[in-house]
Amino acid sequence: MSTTSQVSAVLAQGGDIPAPHIEYGQIAPLLLVLGAAVVGVLVEAFAGRNARYYIQVPVAFLGLAGGFAWTIALAWRDNPHHVAAEGALGVDGPTLFIQGTILVLALVSLLLIAERGDGKAGGHFAAQASALPGSEAEQRTAEAGFTQTEVFPLMMFAVGGMMMFPAANDLLTMFVALEVMSLPLYLLCGLARRRRLLSQEAAVKYFLLGAFSSAFFLYGAALLYGYAGSVRLSDISTQIGKDAGSETLLLSGVALLSVGLLFKLGGVPFHMWKPDVYQGAPTPITALMASCTVVAAFGGILRVYYVAFETLKWDWRPVMWGVAILTMVAGSIIAITQTDIKRMLAYSSIAHAGFLLMGVIASSADGLSSTMFYLVAYGFTSIGAFAVVTMVRDAGGEAGHLSRWAGLGKRSPVVAGVFAFFLLGFAGIPLTSGFTGKFAVFKAAVEGGATPLVVVAVISSAVAAFFYVRVIVVMFFSEPDAEGPVVVAGPATAVAVALGVTATVVLGVIPQPVLDLAGQATTHMFVR
């Protein structure tokens, strides 16, 4: 009997409603992150303006690090395969792996967000004046004031929502997680002060389209409730095939729910927000979205399709084939026409979402494990690439236009070489994490009977390699401009880049430990 039925029975008998049983130890990583977010809000309310930054950064770091340590402890248990919080959250192998990935990537993103451009103002969230002449930098720093420290609790709330999303065991909990994840991101996208209009435009577009997709998700959940009489994923799976309701309700609910999920990862034709938001948002926030949000979105998709709709795969797989093909092809081809670095990386992210969808289509343990490995590999490479973008600056802030990167290999060969390495990782060149991730996903798709889809993916990868190589050619085989950008690298950003390079190398050269870890996580498949 479900919790709702139990409550109804108790009320009918005139008894007291029993107190809910919450397994706090099982959901402690989520509680630590959300607790740090609440502490951050209190710091903003009561701490002095000059002290906030020095409190917020350690609080955020401790919240994320503590959550990751607790996640590891839960994963080491003999059987992480049960539900918590009255069945609202699932604690199992894939969920813990995905949550651990989100926390690690969030820690690296925090290094970029916490980077301080100069002694008085905080990098991307204040004047961003470190590349300007002295007097002008001082003037803009004074105008912008101290760091916008509200970015830290907003980030922690967003990460908390990202952790809840793949763990949600029913559609209402998933919707709450979706909003907790999305609403802070809408605000974070509008915090780039040096590009105020572009940043605010990105935030408004993201908010409007995100609200639209949330409505689709909620409407789909309502239709599925009408079909199955429950929003629990396992109950929906049980009712499929039993003629519990109209098949029209079922298929319509699956379609509308999929729209909301595909929007978060930028699958075509629900990708229109991604290039504008990636370009307009502060680059550290773009790095957070390109890594953690993508991981959370795929975690939610994997749970929904592997738990609720597994027995319906002959209906949704053909549609997902079409979405994956459109996503891979459109992302790869449109990226060729881009002249802004961040927009190019946005379309690259769209193409990679298509590659990742192949793991979902495989509908197997290998598809699940290969997708999780790909998410780890892609997340670290994305953060490293966007970290390099924050370092290349001119008098107007970040040098976003591709022409400004001409000759960077002669001005700063190390930075250009690192960025070229990340691009080769995106392209899937051997001995990088991108090659191992693509190979694992392609192999799972072939074994799942999606060989034609793999052929399309290989062709799309070849097309995508063109625009990655084009950037490398511009950096190393073009003459530098006399008024070209300079490289401004803070210590935290340098650490983030080093971690990205290390992960891209290690996961490409010796990927087996992480592949084994992902495989072990799938031995305890999603709890029902």
Side-chain angles (χ1 to χ4, degrees):
M1 182 181 293
S2 66
T3 303
T4 305
S5 302
Q6 292 174 353
V7 172
S8 301
V10 171
L11 289 176
Q13 297 172 6
D16 295 330
I17 299 176
H21 179 66
I22 307 297
E23 297 83 352
Y24 292 103
Q26 303 299 325
I27 60 175
L30 174 62
L31 296 180
L32 284 172
V33 172
L34 293 178
V38 173
V39 172
V41 172
L42 296 177
V43 170
E44 287 296 307
F46 297 107
R49 187 180 185 187
N50 292 338
R52 292 174 192 165
Y53 176 86
Y54 302 103
I55 301 175
Q56 293 281 24
V57 174
V59 167
F61 179 82
L62 290 175
L64 294 173
F68 179 66
W70 205 300
T71 301
I72 292 177
L74 291 175
W76 276 352
R77 294 192 173 190
D78 293 336
N79 184 25
H81 191 76
H82 52 270
V83 294
E86 296 289 342
L89 299 174
V91 181
D92 45 44
T95 297
L96 292 176
F97 187 94
I98 292 168
Q99 287 182 338
T101 302
I102 291 171
L103 288 167
V104 170
L105 296 176
L107 279 168
V108 182
S109 299
L110 180 62
L111 295 174
L112 299 181
I113 294 172
E115 184 65 85
R116 296 163 63 79
D118 55 88
K120 300 177 182 179
H124 295 268
F125 303 97
Q128 289 191 346
S130 57
L132 300 174
S135 60
E136 188 176 354
E138 293 175 3
Q139 179 182 357
R140 293 192 177 177
T141 297
E143 292 173 354
F146 211 71
T147 309
Q148 291 174 268
T149 49
E150 63 268 24
V151 67
F152 298 105
L154 286 173
M155 173 197 170
M156 296 301 288
F157 276 119
V159 173
M162 294 173 193
M163 294 176 63
M164 189 189 302
F165 195 62
N169 215 30
D170 63 67
L171 295 178
L172 284 184
T173 303
M174 185 169 285
F175 177 74
V176 172
L178 177 66
E179 296 307 301
V180 173
M181 169 175 64
S182 300
L183 291 175
L185 290 176
Y186 301 152
L187 296 174
L188 290 171
C189 288
L191 293 182
R193 290 194 172 188
R194 283 287 288 117
R195 294 174 291 109
R196 181 183 298 273
L197 293 179
L198 191 61
S199 180
Q200 291 177 351
E201 178 188 354
V204 170
K205 286 182 177 179
Y206 195 16
F207 169 72
L208 292 176
L209 293 174
F212 196 57
S213 71
S214 296
F216 273 98
F217 183 96
L218 197 58
Y219 196 8
L223 292 178
L224 289 172
Y225 177 79
Y227 170 80
S230 173
V231 293
R232 185 71 60 84
L233 298 180
S234 57
D235 292 343
I236 295 172
S237 176
T238 301
Q239 293 300 328
I240 292 176
K242 290 186 177 181
D243 294 327
S246 170
E247 188 174 352
T248 302
L249 281 178
L250 173 62
L251 297 179
S252 299
V254 172
L256 293 175
L257 196 74
S258 300
V259 170
L261 293 171
L262 290 170
F263 174 87
K264 295 309 299 182
L265 61 91
V268 177
F270 315 108
H271 68 291
M272 63 289 294
W273 63 274
K274 212 166 193 177
D276 292 333
V277 172
Y278 275 35
Q279 182 184 15
T283 304
I285 301 303
T286 304
L288 178 71
M289 290 191 296
S291 55
C292 299
T293 305
V294 171
V295 174
F298 266 100
I301 286 178
L302 289 168
R303 177 170 287 278
V304 167
Y305 282 96
Y306 275 64
V307 175
F309 304 146
E310 181 182 13
T311 56
L312 200 67
K313 61 183 178 182
W314 297 113
D315 292 280
W316 61 258
R317 281 186 72 182
V319 177
M320 200 61 70
W321 269 57
V323 172
I325 291 173
L326 284 175
T327 304
M328 290 184 291
V329 173
S332 300
I333 292 177
I334 300 177
I336 297 175
T337 66
Q338 303 304 309
T339 57
D340 184 272
I341 292 292
K342 291 172 71 175
R343 289 185 70 88
M344 184 204 73
L345 292 176
Y347 280 105
S348 168
S349 174
I350 292 171
H352 282 280
F355 299 141
L356 282 160
L357 283 173
M358 296 169 60
V360 180
I361 293 170
S363 302
S364 63
D366 286 341
L368 178 60
S369 62
S370 63
T371 301
M372 293 192 297
F373 176 85
Y374 199 132
L375 290 171
V376 176
Y378 176 74
F380 275 105
T381 307
S382 292
I383 293 178
F386 283 107
V388 173
V389 173
T390 68
M391 297 164 59
V392 182
R393 311 173 67 82
D394 53 23
E398 292 173 359
H401 199 277
L402 180 60
S403 62
R404 302 293 294 160
W405 290 60
L408 185 66
K410 299 177 181 178
R411 287 178 173 271
S412 302
V414 174
V415 172
V418 168
F419 192 64
F421 179 69
F422 287 136
L423 294 178
L424 294 176
F426 285 136
I429 300 301
L431 300 183
T432 65
S433 60
F435 173 80
T436 309
K438 286 184 179 180
F439 180 82
V441 170
F442 291 176
K443 178 175 178 291
V446 169
E447 293 175 351
T451 303
L453 193 61
V454 174
V455 174
V456 175
V458 171
I459 296 173
S460 298
S461 297
V463 174
F466 172 80
F467 60 82
Y468 295 132
V469 173
R470 182 183 64 167
V471 177
I472 297 173
V473 170
V474 169
M475 289 192 299
F476 287 96
F477 299 99
S478 299
E479 290 299 321
D481 189 353
E483 302 295 330
V486 297
V487 173
V488 181
T493 302
V495 172
V497 172
L499 290 174
V501 170
T502 302
T504 304
V505 172
V506 170
L507 295 179
V509 177
I510 47 174
Q512 200 58 46
V514 179
L515 285 170
D516 291 341
L517 191 63
Q520 292 171 8
T522 61
T523 58
H524 301 293
M525 291 286 282
F526 287 117
V527 67
R528 295 179 180 273

